Amino acid sequence: MIVVIKPHTEEAEIQKLVKFIEGQGLQIHYSQGINSTILGLVGDTQVVDTHKLRSNKIVEKVLRVQEPYKKANRMFHPEDTIIDVAGNKIGEGYVTAIAGPCSVESEEQIVEIARAVKASGAKFLRGGAFKPRTSPYSFQGMGATGLELLLLAKKETGLPIVTELMDLSQLDLFEDVDVIQVGARNMQNFIMLKELGKIDKPILLKRGLSATMSEFLMAAEYIMSGGNEKVILCERGIRTFEKATRNTLDISCVPVLKRKSHLPVIIDPSHATGINWTVESMAKAAVAAGADGVMIEVHNKPEEALCDGDQAITPAEFDHIMNTLKKYADIEGKTI
Ligand code: PEP
Ligand code: MN
């Protein structure tokens, strides 16, 4: 349920109402926009006497929120959430590029790629240290050493880093990581999501392989319900009957999620198709559809990559894509 407060209401009056509602065992999500103040009610709203609320002199209207996600819901927070990591913004108005290899493989590899993608305009460096591989016999990532190398690349370039947490037991190692990625396979690891709700760090949440948009938003809600509202939604392709591509990029989720939610939505074209020569067209489609950014796998030697080489593009190809995306961002009136 949301309570829209009349414009120009005194803060003290609002606080009186907040106390009254909290007194009924509900939590309040307070959203102060430019034009309006909205109180989002979280909890068992059956106990609320809506007639009484509506008759309060500072209340403009009271609306029931049908969807099961509340804090992620745009009704709770009409303005777009913009996540700021040391001045690098992700959210409406920006097209933010996150780029780097699937996996960190060596100091030379990660530093070389970091330098190249930064020069092309990437604002974040990605790279997996702990890798969720389908086969236990495949390269599992460098683990803690990989994280150290990522931090080294961050020091060399100044690029904030995005890397995947596969298990809560690794969380202590992630202190200096700027954005924690929750991979597609962990999208419904509710225990992990709840713990990430308690920390103050942006979470890049990838859509599960077969998750509906509603399930995706409920996963975000798990994190947000704990207090961490810095969630970035990442569409990375879903399972369909089509086998020509690794997954099927659900481009429609950009406008749909952005309408339903205030959270930033980015596209990962690399995992969506699994094919390097499709990355450019999928990235262009992402920006044209209104995505707030792209996450692209870039490798200095794709043919030697230890993971996801087929979808990796070279730094030169990434540079070309960024030049193209700049034109697309211009059309959309966004900063890249
Ligand atoms: C990745 O980003 O390297 C990754 C493993 O992604 P996903 O969880 O989307 O498969
Ligand atoms: Mn990958």
Side-chain angles (χ1 to χ4, degrees):
M1 184 181 289
I2 63 162
V3 177
V4 182
I5 305 294
K6 284 186 183 154
H8 316 298
T9 301
E10 298 265 322
E11 186 56 32
E13 292 286 323
I14 302 177
Q15 285 313 318
K16 228 190 273 172
L17 182 60
V18 166
K19 288 233 165 57
F20 169 71
I21 299 169
E22 283 176 341
Q24 299 175 59
L26 294 159
Q27 267 182 13
I28 296 280
H29 180 269
Y30 191 96
S31 169
Q32 173 99 65
I34 299 165
N35 300 314
S36 61
T37 299
I38 289 174
L39 305 181
L41 277 53
V42 188
D44 180 12
T45 53
Q46 300 297 336
V47 300
V48 177
D49 180 345
T50 45
H51 291 293
K52 202 167 168 188
L53 262 187
R54 281 200 181 97
S55 60
N56 189 308
K57 65 178 191 317
I58 69 163
V59 172
E60 178 142 306
K61 56 186 170 187
V62 178
L63 302 167
R64 286 243 173 235
V65 178
Q66 305 297 341
E67 293 85 6
Y69 45 90
K70 311 291 179 192
K71 289 192 166 183
N73 202 306
R74 193 175 273 283
M75 282 180 84
F76 264 52
H77 193 291
E79 265 129 66
D80 294 284
T81 285
I82 295 174
I83 291 167
D84 190 332
V85 180
N88 301 290
K89 298 192 173 77
I90 307 182
E92 186 55 41
Y94 298 87
V95 173
T96 307
I98 303 170
C102 179
S103 306
V104 181
E105 297 171 8
S106 68
E107 176 179 335
E108 191 194 1
Q109 175 241 23
I110 193 69
V111 172
E112 185 177 325
I113 296 172
R115 288 208 177 104
V117 297
K118 183 182 181 185
S120 302
K123 295 281 191 278
F124 291 81
L125 173 67
R126 65 147 286 147
F130 298 94
K131 295 302 303 176
R133 304 304 302 278
T134 303
S135 166
Y137 307 117
S138 304
F139 173 59
Q140 302 288 304
M142 291 181 83
T145 313
L147 279 184
E148 278 166 27
L149 296 180
L150 270 174
L151 291 170
L152 190 88
K154 174 182 171 180
K155 211 165 136 195
E156 291 286 322
T157 58
L159 285 181
I161 56 174
V162 181
T163 192
E164 179 167 351
L165 174 77
M166 268 181 63
D167 188 86
L168 281 173
S169 61
Q170 301 151 355
L171 191 55
D172 286 347
L173 299 169
F174 280 60
E175 200 160 327
D176 298 324
V177 168
D178 299 280
V179 178
I180 297 181
Q181 176 172 320
V182 173
R185 291 153 191 85
N186 263 322
M187 190 206 83
Q188 284 187 319
N189 181 340
F190 299 120
I191 295 184
M192 178 186 278
L193 300 176
K194 275 190 196 171
E195 277 312 302
L196 296 178
K198 296 181 193 157
I199 66 172
D200 183 23
K201 223 183 249 295
I203 309 296
L204 190 150
L205 177 66
K206 297 192 103 181
R207 182 176 181 183
L209 276 66
S210 310
T212 63
M213 289 189 221
S214 176
E215 288 164 339
F216 192 14
L217 288 169
M218 285 310 285
E221 187 78 13
Y222 256 94
I223 300 169
M224 298 174 84
S225 66
N228 184 359
E229 298 189 2
K230 295 182 203 152
V231 180
I232 302 150
L233 302 170
C234 178
E235 154 67 23
R236 43 77 74 205
I238 51 173
R239 282 256 162 105
T240 68
F241 52 81
E242 183 54 68
K243 292 286 158 273
T245 49
R246 184 176 177 184
N247 294 291
T248 299
L249 177 60
D250 181 8
I251 200 80
S252 68
C253 87
V254 177
V256 176
L257 290 174
K258 283 182 69 79
R259 193 181 178 93
K260 289 177 184 288
S261 176
H262 51 90
L263 297 173
V265 179
I266 68 163
I267 291 280
D268 170 349
S270 309
H271 290 90
T273 66
I275 306 168
N276 53 13
W277 51 265
T278 67
V279 171
E280 178 173 357
S281 46
M282 296 299 99
K284 288 195 288 192
V287 180
D292 301 308
V294 287
M295 180 155 87
I296 297 180
E297 286 192 348
V298 178
H299 199 288
N300 50 349
K301 294 174 190 146
E303 60 296 339
E304 290 173 25
L306 296 179
C307 181
D308 287 352
D310 291 345
Q311 67 199 36
I313 58 168
T314 62
E317 287 163 338
F318 178 70
D319 190 64
H320 166 76
I321 290 179
M322 285 301 286
N323 284 327
T324 309
L325 294 189
K326 277 174 195 147
K327 295 180 200 141
Y328 278 65
D330 258 2
I331 295 172
E332 297 289 321
K334 293 181 175 179
T335 308
I336 186 164

